[in-house]
Amino acid sequence: MTTAIIAIHGGAGALSRETITPQQQAAYEGALNDILVQSSAVLAQGGSALDAVTLAVRMLEDCPLFNAGHGSVFTSAATHEMDAAIMDGATLGCGSVASVSTVRNPVLAARAVMETSDHVFFCGKPAEALAEAAGLEMVEPDYFSTPLRREQLDRVRATGTGGFVLDHDAVEKVQRDNAAPLDEDKKMGTVGAVALDQAGNLAAATSTGGMTNKQPGRVGDSPIIGAGCYASNHSCAVSSTGTGEMFIRSVAAYDVAAQMQYAGRTLVQAADNVVFDKLPAIGGVGGLIAVDATGNVALPFNSEGMYRGYLRIGQDPVVEIYR
């Protein structure tokens, strides 16, 4: 029987070391620890990797500290547009939703697509209709709003630039321009989970609220199978976070699996190649979490930080933000 393991992330757009307070760090670490403990209990009881990643991402969506579900950032139109994907490594079954604004837990909508539809990807109102028909909890759009996210949008608008930057780009900016570090005002964030269960099956799930002040209708890598989410029992399960456009262009999640399957690389070798070589070559910033079919785990990132952790059944959880 395989020793089960689950890994999670709360986004590579971590608060910079210069701005995070001890209280904030404790809050993030505490949330990650609690989610690992609860989702790993599914695996400890013989449950599926698919159920474990679903629970983990649902809990991350419900936690306002992270940019997914409740606590999602605002678009430039002061609305919320959320994306999510899920994939079963045993069957290659998968489901995705994009630009939803009334489904309490987008990851559950993605799973409903996988389990109730002949299709893989729904967006906007049809995705919400499918979720409602599946009996999922629907909410008013303002459910996702928090005062912090509104303040972030207001500050970004006040700059008059109309743009956005990743929080983890702040270090270079401080060094180059002697500027003050950014916190979460203009960054993107994502949450995700990957797991291996006792039966040897893999699964992955990813969810995001996008990025503050993004153009309405923009969709990043999170709901795209092979870019922000991928799982196959023949290789690994992956959930990505960072500059979505670059993860799409490099098919980042699938590239890790492909390098393992076709080039014979280990999980760590493949994940490091994608994060430290291929993504930076095209300006990609961020990271990923991955677990392979034998229980190895990789959590590389090329940004200042990434909220992350893992728990191997029978051991204590490991939670980290910086290197």
Side-chain angles (χ1 to χ4, degrees):
M1 188 166 58
T2 302
T3 300
I5 182 173
I6 185 165
I8 63 174
H9 72 79
L15 282 163
S16 67
R17 289 180 186 271
E18 290 85 355
T19 60
I20 196 168
T21 67
Q23 294 79 11
Q24 288 172 321
Q25 183 162 340
Y28 280 105
E29 291 175 345
L32 292 170
N33 188 86
D34 183 52
I35 292 166
L36 280 171
V37 169
Q38 293 195 48
S39 57
S40 67
V42 173
L43 300 174
Q45 296 163 9
S48 71
L50 193 65
D51 285 344
V53 299
T54 301
L55 175 59
V57 173
R58 181 180 65 76
M59 293 182 69
L60 286 160
E61 289 175 340
D62 286 343
C63 179
L65 292 174
F66 303 106
N67 176 20
H70 178 57
S72 288
V73 297
F74 284 90
T75 70
S76 62
T79 57
H80 300 286
E81 294 180 348
M82 292 155 292
D83 313 323
I86 194 167
M87 189 164 184
D88 182 353
T91 65
L92 300 186
C94 52
S96 299
V97 295
S99 299
V100 296
S101 58
T102 61
V103 185
R104 172 171 174 162
N105 293 108
V107 70
L108 298 184
R111 184 158 177 176
V113 171
M114 180 180 72
E115 295 179 337
T116 68
S117 169
D118 293 330
H119 305 302
V120 168
F121 203 156
F122 283 81
C123 63
K125 297 300 181 184
E128 294 172 346
L130 184 147
E132 187 169 17
L136 301 184
E137 183 176 356
M138 310 300 288
V139 295
E140 293 298 317
D142 62 3
Y143 162 80
F144 303 103
S145 306
T146 64
L148 172 63
R149 299 306 189 191
R150 170 61 75 169
E151 290 169 10
Q152 290 171 356
L153 176 64
D154 291 342
R155 283 196 294 269
V156 174
R157 284 175 163 178
T159 66
T161 63
F164 56 87
V165 291
L166 285 170
D167 179 59
H168 34 254
D169 289 338
V171 176
E172 287 187 13
K173 184 174 178 60
V174 169
Q175 294 172 342
R176 184 181 67 247
D177 302 336
N178 196 30
L182 302 170
D183 16 294
E184 294 198 348
D185 289 353
K186 302 180 182 178
K187 75 176 186 65
M188 357 184 169
T190 311
V191 304
V194 294
L196 171 70
D197 61 31
Q198 294 181 25
N201 294 315
L202 292 162
T206 308
S207 180
T208 187
M211 52 192 175
T212 297
N213 206 40
K214 73 162 189 171
Q215 183 175 341
R218 177 265 184 188
V219 176
D221 66 303
S222 296
I224 298 178
I225 301 301
C229 182
Y230 188 76
S232 170
N233 282 7
H234 295 297
S235 52
C236 61
V238 182
S239 176
S240 308
T241 172
T243 45
E245 283 73 9
M246 306 313 174
F247 281 74
I248 294 171
R249 293 172 189 172
S250 61
V251 200
Y254 178 70
D255 194 12
V256 176
Q259 289 191 40
M260 293 178 65
Q261 192 168 357
Y262 302 135
R265 289 186 168 178
T266 67
L267 177 71
V268 171
Q269 288 172 337
D272 283 357
N273 176 256
V274 169
V275 171
F276 299 121
D277 297 327
K278 290 193 170 183
L279 283 167
I282 58 172
V285 180
L288 59 83
I289 58 172
V291 173
D292 70 15
T294 58
N296 295 304
V297 62
L299 305 94
F301 56 97
N302 60 33
S303 50
E304 182 177 8
M306 180 172 76
Y307 304 115
R308 66 199 187 278
Y310 66 91
L311 195 159
R312 198 179 303 275
I313 302 307
Q315 300 181 14
D316 293 330
V318 176
V319 171
E320 297 175 310
I321 300 177
Y322 306 105
R323 299 189 188 283

